[in-house]
Amino acid sequence: MGTATGAGFDTEALRRGIEGEDTTALLSLYADDAEIRVVDRNTQPSHPKVLHGRDQISQMLSDVYSRDMTHHLDQCVVQGDHVAFTESCEYPDGVRVLASSMATLRNGRIAEQVLLQAWDE
């Protein structure tokens, strides 16, 4: 068929997972051996937080989506074997978080992801 390796990435599952705070749905979008590098004010570019595999990724997702806050998928672009997406979040006290991800896909699942996040001080 000549489709790219990223063909079949389920952007609607990503939206449902983020906005429905469904960690199981989100985890299904990751390869078993996926890696996420997180860069923010606490884990800066020279020392990012690195999560290896679905167990560690599951723990992070469970932590994030168990918090009392709203999550919204703002934009998502899939091109070939890459996906980029931005997510905006807000705590009840008005503190906002913006997260931007760039990921490499393998067989329609996220294999590597770089997550940049910033929040109100």
Side-chain angles (χ1 to χ4, degrees), residues 20-76:
E21 302 176 6
D22 184 343
T23 58
T24 304
L26 287 172
L27 197 59
S28 73
L29 298 173
Y30 288 86
D32 290 341
D33 61 347
E35 178 179 288
I36 300 179
R37 290 192 324 258
V38 181
V39 176
D40 57 31
R41 104 177 154 204
N42 297 327
T43 56
Q44 296 173 2
S46 58
H47 297 93
K49 180 195 304 183
V50 182
L51 305 167
H52 298 282
R54 292 176 72 165
D55 285 348
Q56 290 183 9
I57 292 169
S58 175
Q59 291 172 19
M60 182 197 77
L61 293 175
S62 295
D63 174 47
V64 168
Y65 292 101
S66 68
R67 297 177 190 176
D68 183 14
M69 62 192 304
T70 60
H71 302 268
H72 185 262
L73 179 65
D74 297 324
Q75 296 183 26
C76 181

